[in-house]
Amino acid sequence: MLTTCPECGLQVSDKAASCPHCGYPMVKQTVRRRRRMRLPNGFGQISQIKGRNLRKPFRAMITVGKDENGKPICKLLEPVAYFETYNEAYEALIEYNKSPIDKSKNITMDDLFTKWIDTLDLSDSRLRLIRSSWKYAESLHDLPVTELRVIHVRECIDKSEAPVSVKPHIKTTTSMLLDYAVECGIIDTNLLRGSKVDKAANKEAEKNHKEHFAFTKEELDSLWENINVENVDLILIQCYTGLRPQEMIKLKTENIHLDKDYLIGGMKTEAGTDRTVPIHSKIKPLLAERVKRKGIENITYGQYAYMFEKVMSTLQLNPDHRPHDARKTFVTLAKEYNMDEYAIKRIVGHKVKDITEAVYTERKIDWLKMEIEKIKA
């Protein structure tokens, strides 16, 4: 079918995009607006406030439940609900939905803990301590976060069957959890900050604190006689290097120089970090075997403590021994066999306060090797 071009008046097909005679466009060009993607159910809402001269006109709201008719109940996203662009509001909702907190249900302490623990970027040992202490806070689990009071935490600690050393961590864990509740806007302040609810627990811990004590000669002999028992070698390595438990389990294979009879390790203090420790001839075969199968790396402190307790039980040694006692055994042996005092300090990573020795005396590894071989036990 033909139609008339409004520009030149000549006949043009009604399907033509433009007049072939004069080029006049015959079809109106329309600009299609790109529709924004529909937000998933329960994700939240983004609306643009029009008619007002706002610098941040895009409002983000979160879904906190449904009314009796099944319609969503929405509240402003906290702590910031207004944004300059749609995309900024959308990104804020994405971040919120990674770990949404449903405030309309008055979330319990245990539900909040479950969400909070997944946000933490801490070491495995630290996470285990937090989880362990929270298990002993069972009386707090079903309490709504908004109803928790200091008296609840005090009673929880006083009545808990947790070990004395764990009780102070109940308060610490609960306080960290309440800090998270403040960040989420569930509560305004952390009532535990500055409180003294764990004062009694700390006093009890101090009263029951057990000093470290060295292995006796009979116990040390028993370890050597049972060298084939699993993990006895690790305890002996500690006894002849003076390494802290955490230092030993963090030893890297490439830092154990068997050909030169020394290792590099240590942590905690400036004097103790990455120090040179001579390898005593008695434990060199033990280290060689561990290096061969990379049997020290990737052991956690919790795993080592369990291994240690199992060895004490298997060999029927004093059950009150703890992993740090092996380090005390080294110092005790060193003094018993008249090792140089400065050699002991350098090996275990204690600060040498004598300026002449610390600053003006150059000690070579051969001297440390000679001194450590004085131990004949």
Side-chain angles (χ1 to χ4, degrees), residues 241-307:
T241 58
L243 292 172
R244 299 177 178 89
Q246 299 94 327
E247 293 174 335
M248 188 184 68
I249 62 179
K250 289 183 180 295
L251 268 181
K252 295 182 179 179
T253 301
E254 61 264 27
N255 287 337
I256 301 175
H257 303 283
L258 293 168
D259 56 333
K260 298 180 180 178
D261 294 327
Y262 74 88
L263 58 84
I264 302 294
M267 52 187 287
K268 192 173 181 179
T269 65
E270 183 178 350
T273 301
D274 293 333
R275 63 185 183 272
T276 299
V277 177
I279 297 175
H280 194 286
S281 57
K282 291 192 72 170
I283 62 166
K284 187 173 180 178
L286 308 183
L287 276 169
E289 181 60 27
R290 282 282 174 175
V291 168
K292 182 179 177 181
R293 54 192 174 94
K294 293 189 176 180
I296 295 181
E297 294 181 22
N298 301 320
I299 300 175
T300 66
Y301 181 81
Q303 290 171 329
Y304 182 62
Y306 173 77
M307 294 173 184

Side-chain angles (χ1 to χ4, degrees), residues 189-203:
T189 56
N190 179 354
L191 297 176
L192 291 185
R193 284 296 172 197
S195 66
K196 302 295 182 182
V197 295
D198 56 348
K199 189 174 182 180
N202 285 331
K203 283 186 176 180

Side-chain angles (χ1 to χ4, degrees), residues 303-367:
Q303 290 171 329
Y304 182 62
Y306 173 77
M307 294 173 184
F308 187 94
E309 290 176 9
K310 191 174 180 180
V311 169
M312 297 300 106
S313 175
T314 301
L315 303 187
Q316 297 183 335
L317 302 182
N318 193 323
D320 290 333
H321 274 305
R322 289 171 291 163
H324 208 86
D325 292 352
R327 175 173 164 87
K328 187 158 187 176
T329 299
F330 172 80
V331 176
T332 302
L333 289 172
K335 288 181 177 292
E336 181 181 342
Y337 285 94
N338 298 314
M339 274 183 61
D340 185 275
E341 189 71 24
Y342 294 132
I344 298 173
K345 289 181 181 293
R346 288 176 185 273
I347 291 172
V348 298
H350 287 168
K351 185 176 181 180
V352 176
K353 295 181 179 180
D354 183 274
I355 296 179
T356 304
E357 175 66 26
V359 179
Y360 295 100
T361 305
E362 184 177 336
R363 297 292 190 180
K364 295 183 178 180
I365 183 61
D366 289 339
W367 175 69

Side-chain angles (χ1 to χ4, degrees), residues 20-237:
H21 309 291
C22 66
Y24 184 82
M26 300 298 295
V27 179
K28 289 185 177 180
Q29 302 295 316
T30 58
V31 178
R32 296 182 64 181
R33 296 184 62 184
R34 185 179 179 182
R35 296 184 63 182
R36 297 189 178 107
M37 185 179 296
R38 181 186 177 91
L39 300 179
N41 291 335
F43 187 84
Q45 296 180 0
I46 300 175
S47 55
Q48 183 177 5
I49 301 174
K50 299 179 180 178
R52 295 165 60 185
N53 187 22
L54 297 177
R55 187 170 64 86
K56 298 180 178 181
F58 290 93
R59 180 178 61 196
M61 304 187 75
I62 57 173
T63 303
V64 295
K66 293 183 178 181
D67 61 18
E68 56 186 10
N69 297 318
K71 293 184 178 180
I73 300 173
C74 294
K75 291 185 178 180
L76 291 175
L77 176 66
E78 295 179 355
V80 179
Y82 293 88
F83 303 88
E84 292 185 16
T85 66
Y86 180 91
N87 286 344
E88 288 179 356
Y90 184 73
E91 288 174 3
L93 282 179
I94 289 177
E95 191 64 29
Y96 167 80
N97 278 281
K98 287 181 180 178
S99 180
I101 305 297
D102 193 343
K103 301 172 191 176
S104 67
K105 295 181 181 178
N106 207 0
I107 189 168
T108 66
M109 292 290 289
D110 197 45
D111 287 339
L112 185 65
F113 179 87
T114 301
K115 296 179 181 298
W116 170 64
I117 197 73
D118 290 335
T119 69
L120 300 180
D121 183 18
L122 299 173
S123 66
D124 290 342
S125 58
R126 180 65 175 151
L127 289 174
R128 278 196 300 273
L129 178 60
I130 290 173
R131 287 193 174 95
S132 174
S133 60
W134 185 245
K135 285 181 180 178
Y136 287 109
E138 191 173 1
S139 63
L140 306 179
H141 288 188
D142 294 330
L143 274 173
V145 177
T146 54
E147 295 181 16
L148 182 78
R149 298 294 179 264
V150 173
I151 186 64
H152 295 139
V153 184
R154 181 179 292 115
E155 290 179 351
C156 173
I157 294 174
D158 290 343
K159 297 177 181 179
S160 174
E161 296 180 358
V164 173
S165 60
V166 174
K167 284 190 174 185
H169 295 291
I170 294 177
K171 185 250 182 174
T172 302
T173 296
T174 306
S175 185
M176 292 169 64
L177 183 56
L178 291 181
D179 282 340
Y180 179 66
V182 172
E183 291 178 15
C184 294
I186 300 173
I187 55 177
D188 294 327
T189 56
N190 179 354
L191 297 176
L192 291 185
R193 284 296 172 197
S195 66
K196 302 295 182 182
V197 295
D198 56 348
K199 189 174 182 180
N202 285 331
K203 283 186 176 180
E204 187 179 355
E206 291 173 5
K207 184 175 69 175
N208 289 276
H209 175 70
K210 296 178 181 178
E211 293 294 331
H212 297 293
F213 60 101
F215 288 107
T216 64
K217 181 182 184 305
E218 291 73 23
E219 287 176 323
L220 202 58
D221 288 343
S222 180
L223 289 171
W224 280 113
E225 290 166 4
N226 293 277
I227 192 62
N228 292 327
V229 173
E230 188 177 17
N231 298 314
V232 165
D233 62 327
L234 289 179
I235 299 174
L236 287 170
I237 289 171

